[in-house]
Amino acid sequence: GPMSLECLGNLLRITLSAEYFEDKYLSFSVVDESGIAWELDEAMAAQCGYTVTYSNWSSIEFRASAASCHSHLEKDVFTVTLQIKASHTPDMKNATYHLKSASCHYGPWSSRELLCESNYMEVSVRKEVPQPIKDFIQDAPEDWTVVFPEARAEEASIWQIVFHQPEEKKALLVSDAWSAGYGLNTTDTRVVLRIPHAAAQVQLVEDQGITFSVVRSSMFYRHRWMILMVDTTVACPVDGGDYTNKTITWTVPKYIPPLSAGATSFKDVLVEAGVDLHKLSAKEMASRKYVLSNDLNAIMMKIPIGAEGGYYKTSVSNGQLGAKYTINMFLEHQWEDNKWGLTRQTIIKEIETPFEQVELAIINNSNLSTRLMNVTVGTFLPDVELVNLTTEGVTVAVPEAVQHGYTIYRAKYSNGSKTYIIQVPIDAPSIKKEYMRDDMRAYTLNVTLAFITHPTRETFTVPVLTVSAVRDAVLPIVRGFCDGRNFHLIITHGNVDQNWLPFISDLHLTPKAAQKYNYSLRDNGTHLAISVPFLSPHLNYEVFHTSGIKASLYLTLKDGITLANRRDFSVSCRFSSSELIQCLPSGTVIITAVKMVGVADLDTSLFVLRDRQCKPSLVTEKTATFKFSVNTCGTTRKFNSATMTYENEVLYFRAGNDTPVYRMKFVCSYAVKQAVDVRYESRKNPLPHVKPGFGSLALSLKLFKEKSYSEPYQESEYPVVKYLREALYFEVELLQPKDSRLDLNLDDCWATNSQSQDSLPQWPILINGCENNKDSYRTVFHEVNYSLRVEFPQHLKRFEVRMFTFVQGSTLLEE
């Protein structure tokens, strides 16, 4: 059942099953003879002779003294009735009641009974014991000369207790003593005094190196026309436990002065010891390796740490998990002296060893075939409970953990210890997934478990970090190819590259970077497509023949957090060397020289033509582009019946050396169909004119941030704020059609004070293709050259305007 009882000498013990009352809030009350239930708190329990302890992992103990406040004592039989209220909530609503009444026989009583409980000291003295005045005078004569006048002055009172301390004597009426927390009682034959260990009158006295709690007191009461007095001094050992060589040594001195004042002869009658209030025979002690010794001055008990009869309980020190071995010792010492006759002293002493750190095992039992992480944490003592877990900064109670994908089991063992098993699918959001190598992925469980101990309610945490390797990585697949002018890469995503970053050479290929270099970057979630022009600063040019040039594109996928290389790909193609040169019908040559692998120290800006004054008009890290007329830059010409051939070279000279270290010869050949005789005469030529036509043109007008015209303002950056006279850089481009025979010419350009082009006022910026002469700061035209972004320079016009505002007189006009 939920409760069991034992009569143990002058104590009644009722044991509650912790398993039955698990997860319940308990309230203890003692029922007196009138049927009134007195609810116990710590103060009342110590004052009235009750003790409630969690004696071990599986039970809760209630103990009552035979002389407790509400016990009914009749003919050496004392009866105690206990009421227990149990509820699942701390407000004790919907509580269930459990009533237990028990009677125990105890006797015969000794002249003096001393009880040392864990929360109080108790002395019970027979009234008829004579108290010769001379004995007290011999002990401490100064006490009594003061006490007797006080006692006689209070003849009208029923009770009075006088406490004897070195510095003062304090007398209290019984009502005042009760208010101060002392328990006093009397029967026809006995006087009882009960003192909580924390009472104000307790003195600490040392004897044989052992500290005792001592209260020296006398009780006075009237009997007919006499004032009677009993000595109610009590003393209990506070310490006495020593821990050496894995052994507990408990020492209790005998016949200490506070208890033997006035006595001159002593004789041991009985010395018995045990555990949990059970006396052990010599045979039982030997089987447990206990050693009990009794010499002239002290009783000594030796118990191996971890021996039967004790138990380990969980302890926490500075957040560290540990354990302490605890044993509830019991000693009964009876002796006779020439003052008291027979004295029985019962000592209940819980001895606890120092904190010793405990190492927990965290075992990864994950079943990867079922994609389930399974971790066992333990072993824990039965007084530990898992209360919550924290992952990714979120703390959830154990009952709610299932909503986050966690299943928690508790495995119990026969000795009461237990482990906790944590299960979570490896695909749960809280499981971190990380690519390792080849087809391996690492799944990391990182959770912090929070525990509480009972009944001390200490808390500690256990971090659990386990990694499981699973062969389920699907790597990205890359396919590369080339057309006549571009590299193309198509990356099919796997399940590990969601956060990998694409790099071409050392360029992180973001959408912004792709736009800057005129690359193409498209991602539809399953595929990433990259296109890079043949002439690009991030390619490697490796082999150059008249038949073509070999170029390679190197792509690296890097970890988005550590930037560690995850995968490397490359694609190599041979492009026609004609991609490097354009021989325009107008006699203009555009030639691009490339820096080859193996000569990485070349500065492309120092490439020259035969005429070293001819320098590149466009330079990148890997290329240098020249644009010049065939009649300049040292170009030579050869003629035969069918062609006119122009020849030049791109050269690179090191400082102080006239021998080039780089030479790339190129030619432009123009077909000559036939030679004819031409006859001409001078006449006035008509004025040039343009024949009107009709068609569809696509134009764009952009505002750029700098004179380099490399970065236009994006739509999200409008409206653009500028100061007066600050430069504005405009570019007008013919988008369609892409016809090299077309030239873009600007006619009129004007500014308005609103978004409507027809609104007034207006200010002309260009008039008939020229700057406005009335401007204080005239419009400046900028030359447009061929570049990676500009395929047809004649399709663009660039000009610079100084910021201005509209005014009327001295008033600023606003829209």
Side-chain angles (χ1 to χ4, degrees):
M3 291 186 284
S4 60
L5 63 88
E6 290 179 284
C7 296
L8 301 165
N10 58 348
L11 290 170
L12 163 68
R13 174 163 66 189
I14 298 177
T15 303
L16 283 64
S17 168
E19 187 172 355
Y20 181 86
F21 290 101
E22 189 175 16
D23 300 327
K24 292 185 177 70
Y25 294 88
L26 301 180
S27 170
F28 292 85
S29 298
V30 181
V31 181
D32 64 15
E33 292 183 74
S34 303
I36 300 174
W38 299 84
E39 186 172 352
L40 297 180
D41 56 19
E42 289 186 8
M44 184 177 179
Q47 187 175 25
C48 279
Y50 306 113
T51 305
V52 178
T53 65
Y54 292 77
S55 60
N56 55 45
W57 303 320
S58 59
S59 63
I60 305 166
E61 279 191 12
F62 167 84
R63 295 196 294 268
S65 165
S68 57
C69 293
H70 309 96
S71 64
H72 175 59
L73 182 62
E74 186 175 354
K75 295 181 180 179
D76 291 340
V77 174
F78 66 96
T79 302
V80 176
T81 301
L82 175 66
Q83 177 184 278
I84 300 169
K85 188 163 59 171
S87 173
H88 288 283
T89 57
D91 58 10
M92 304 306 288
K93 288 184 177 179
N94 301 317
T96 58
Y97 290 82
H98 304 265
L99 198 65
K100 191 75 170 179
S101 184
S103 298
C104 293
H105 179 271
Y106 178 65
W109 291 73
S110 303
S111 299
R112 180 173 60 169
E113 302 261 347
L114 301 170
L115 175 61
C116 298
E117 254 286 12
S118 60
N119 57 332
Y120 64 87
M121 302 183 290
E122 182 183 277
V123 56
S124 169
V125 181
R126 187 177 298 150
K127 279 184 179 179
E128 57 267 27
V129 174
Q131 303 287 353
I133 299 300
K134 61 181 181 179
D135 291 344
F136 285 94
I137 293 174
Q138 290 175 358
D139 171 37
E142 72 279 3
D143 286 356
W144 310 109
T145 57
V146 179
V147 168
F148 280 122
E150 292 177 357
R152 293 191 178 96
E154 296 292 342
E155 284 183 0
S157 68
I158 300 172
W159 279 89
Q160 190 177 61
I161 181 170
V162 177
F163 294 103
H164 305 265
Q165 289 190 319
E167 67 278 2
E168 64 177 348
K169 315 298 179 293
K170 185 171 183 179
L172 293 176
L173 297 177
V174 67
S175 58
D176 296 329
W178 270 98
S179 299
Y182 300 99
L184 299 91
N185 194 15
T186 183
T187 67
D188 292 341
T189 58
R190 304 192 72 82
V191 174
V192 179
L193 172 64
R194 197 172 299 105
I195 303 167
H197 284 302
Q201 302 301 325
V202 172
Q203 304 173 54
L204 296 180
V205 176
E206 189 173 297
D207 186 80
Q208 301 180 42
I210 308 301
T211 302
F212 282 79
S213 289
V214 177
V215 174
R216 300 183 66 239
S217 62
S218 302
M219 281 196 187
F220 294 86
Y221 60 96
R222 291 179 57 200
H223 181 69
R224 298 180 181 177
W225 299 106
M226 296 181 293
I227 296 175
L228 299 180
M229 175 188 68
V230 291
D231 181 2
T232 51
T233 297
V234 62
C236 290
V238 175
D239 52 25
D242 188 26
Y243 319 97
T244 55
N245 300 323
K246 298 291 184 180
T247 300
I248 298 170
T249 301
W250 182 34
T251 303
V252 180
K254 299 192 295 187
Y255 321 130
I256 65 170
L259 298 179
S260 58
T264 57
S265 63
F266 306 93
K267 176 186 176 183
D268 277 346
V269 175
L270 177 71
V271 174
E272 290 185 318
V275 175
D276 290 332
L277 297 178
H278 288 290
K279 298 176 182 178
L280 297 177
S281 66
K283 183 177 180 181
E284 289 173 318
M285 288 194 184
S287 68
R288 299 184 182 193
K289 295 185 169 53
Y290 296 179
V291 176
L292 175 64
S293 59
N294 179 21
D295 61 23
L296 184 63
N297 297 313
I299 302 167
M300 185 179 296
M301 188 86 169
K302 291 188 176 183
I303 306 104
I305 294 177
E308 179 187 353
Y311 63 96
Y312 284 95
K313 67 178 180 180
T314 303
S315 181
V316 180
S317 176
N318 297 322
Q320 296 294 315
L321 176 64
K324 296 178 179 180
Y325 176 75
T326 302
I327 188 166
N328 200 22
M329 297 301 300
F330 163 74
L331 175 67
E332 182 177 317
H333 180 207
Q334 297 183 30
W335 73 88
E336 290 181 343
D337 59 43
N338 59 345
K339 173 187 171 183
W340 287 97
L342 183 64
T343 296
R344 177 188 285 116
Q345 183 178 36
T346 302
I347 302 174
I348 299 170
K349 178 71 173 177
E350 183 181 76
I351 298 179
E352 187 177 88
T353 60
F355 174 89
E356 186 172 343
Q357 189 168 339
V358 170
E359 296 295 333
L360 291 174
I362 300 175
I363 303 172
N364 186 353
N365 299 313
S366 298
N367 187 347
L368 303 181
S369 63
T370 60
R371 300 186 68 78
L372 191 67
M373 297 198 79
N374 186 312
V375 178
T376 300
V377 183
T379 301
F380 297 100
L381 295 174
D383 57 355
V384 170
E385 180 187 3
L386 175 63
V387 290
N388 64 53
L389 52 86
T390 302
T391 179
E392 295 183 319
V394 178
T395 299
V396 295
V398 169
E400 302 167 6
V402 67
Q403 301 172 16
H404 296 260
Y406 288 83
T407 304
I408 300 173
Y409 299 98
R410 182 177 59 185
K412 287 188 175 182
Y413 300 100
S414 57
N415 64 355
S417 62
K418 57 190 171 185
T419 58
Y420 284 94
I421 301 167
I422 315 296
Q423 291 184 349
V424 58
I426 65 175
D427 298 308
S430 60
I431 301 298
K432 180 183 176 183
K433 306 168 189 64
E434 186 176 15
Y435 175 66
M436 297 171 63
R437 63 186 180 279
D438 302 330
D439 61 347
M440 302 288 289
R441 278 201 293 180
Y443 290 83
T444 302
L445 169 64
N446 188 353
V447 62
T448 299
L449 308 179
F451 296 86
I452 191 169
T453 65
H454 296 294
T456 55
R457 304 195 70 78
E458 294 179 300
T459 59
F460 64 95
T461 59
V462 178
V464 176
L465 180 65
T466 61
V467 180
S468 297
V470 184
R471 292 186 176 276
D472 66 349
V474 178
L475 299 176
I477 300 171
V478 178
R479 181 171 63 91
F481 60 93
C482 300
D483 57 21
R485 305 188 67 181
N486 298 280
F487 285 89
H488 300 283
L489 289 174
I490 298 177
I491 304 171
T492 303
H493 290 304
N495 61 7
V496 296
D497 57 321
Q498 294 85 353
N499 298 315
W500 291 3
L501 306 176
F503 279 76
I504 295 179
S505 296
D506 58 351
L507 173 69
H508 177 201
L509 194 57
T510 63
K512 187 175 181 180
Q515 182 182 23
K516 178 179 179 181
Y517 291 102
N518 201 28
Y519 299 166
S520 173
L521 181 67
R522 302 181 304 278
D523 195 333
N524 64 3
T526 60
H527 295 80
L528 173 65
I530 301 172
S531 297
V532 177
F534 162 62
L535 291 177
S536 163
H538 302 100
L539 299 181
N540 284 351
Y541 302 97
E542 298 169 350
V543 180
F544 194 4
H545 292 292
T546 55
S547 60
I549 180 170
K550 180 184 177 184
S552 295
L553 170 64
Y554 291 92
L555 172 72
T556 302
L557 296 179
K558 296 188 177 185
D559 188 280
I561 299 175
T562 66
L563 293 183
N565 286 6
R566 290 304 190 188
R567 298 287 284 173
D568 294 299
F569 306 96
S570 66
V571 56
S572 298
C573 295
R574 187 175 297 276
F575 292 85
S576 171
S577 55
S578 63
E579 292 295 323
L580 300 177
I581 189 168
Q582 294 182 62
C583 301
L584 302 180
S586 62
T588 299
V589 178
I590 301 174
I591 180 71
T592 300
V594 296
K595 182 166 63 174
M596 307 300 294
V597 174
V599 286
D601 60 338
L602 296 187
D603 183 351
T604 54
S605 66
L606 299 181
F607 279 111
V608 294
L609 299 179
R610 283 175 178 168
D611 181 351
R612 298 192 188 182
Q613 297 303 313
C614 292
K615 300 184 183 302
S617 59
L618 177 67
V619 172
T620 70
E621 183 183 348
K622 300 283 182 69
T623 65
T625 301
F626 297 84
K627 182 180 181 182
F628 61 98
S629 171
V630 293
N631 297 320
T632 61
C633 296
T635 307
T636 59
R637 179 178 60 184
K638 292 181 181 180
F639 175 78
N640 60 34
S641 60
T643 60
M644 181 76 74
T645 302
Y646 296 90
E647 182 180 294
N648 206 329
E649 294 175 299
V650 179
L651 306 169
Y652 189 92
F653 298 92
R654 295 198 185 277
N657 193 336
D658 288 334
T659 302
V661 297
Y662 180 99
R663 184 191 300 270
M664 185 179 75
K665 183 183 290 186
F666 59 92
V667 296
C668 278
S669 297
Y670 294 89
V672 178
K673 293 184 179 180
Q674 60 183 4
V676 297
D677 293 328
V678 177
R679 185 178 66 181
Y680 64 94
E681 62 182 3
S682 176
R683 71 178 182 180
K684 187 176 181 179
N685 292 329
L687 293 174
H689 67 282
V690 177
K691 184 179 180 179
F694 298 94
S696 177
L697 299 177
L699 297 169
S700 73
L701 173 63
K702 294 181 181 177
L703 177 61
F704 282 76
K705 296 181 179 180
E706 297 176 343
K707 190 175 181 179
S708 63
Y709 286 89
S710 60
E711 186 177 359
Y713 284 100
Q714 303 298 316
E715 185 177 348
S716 61
E717 297 179 89
Y718 285 94
V720 176
V721 178
K722 293 285 186 179
Y723 295 103
L724 287 176
R725 301 179 185 175
E726 191 173 352
L728 301 170
Y729 301 101
F730 291 97
E731 177 186 270
V732 183
E733 181 180 5
L734 174 63
L735 301 176
Q736 293 292 338
K738 296 284 189 182
D739 190 337
S740 61
R741 296 173 298 173
L742 296 177
D743 278 6
L744 174 66
N745 292 292
L746 301 181
D747 189 11
D748 293 326
C749 179
W750 66 94
T752 66
N753 198 33
S754 71
Q755 295 185 7
S756 173
Q757 65 182 21
D758 299 322
S759 66
L760 296 174
Q762 297 182 355
W763 183 257
I765 294 171
L766 298 177
I767 303 173
N768 295 325
C770 299
E771 65 270 19
N772 184 356
N773 293 329
K774 295 180 181 180
D775 262 340
S776 301
Y777 297 91
R778 295 187 179 182
T779 301
V780 178
F781 287 95
H782 293 295
E783 183 182 1
V784 181
N785 295 314
Y786 172 81
S787 69
L788 291 175
R789 193 172 71 83
V790 179
E791 185 176 5
F792 302 110
Q794 65 271 29
H795 288 186
L796 287 91
K797 286 293 185 288
R798 292 172 176 167
F799 56 91
E800 173 185 337
V801 178
R802 295 288 173 171
M803 185 66 187
F804 65 89
T805 187
F806 288 94
V807 295
Q808 183 172 2
S810 60
T811 304
L812 178 68
L813 294 180
E814 297 183 1
E815 184 182 355

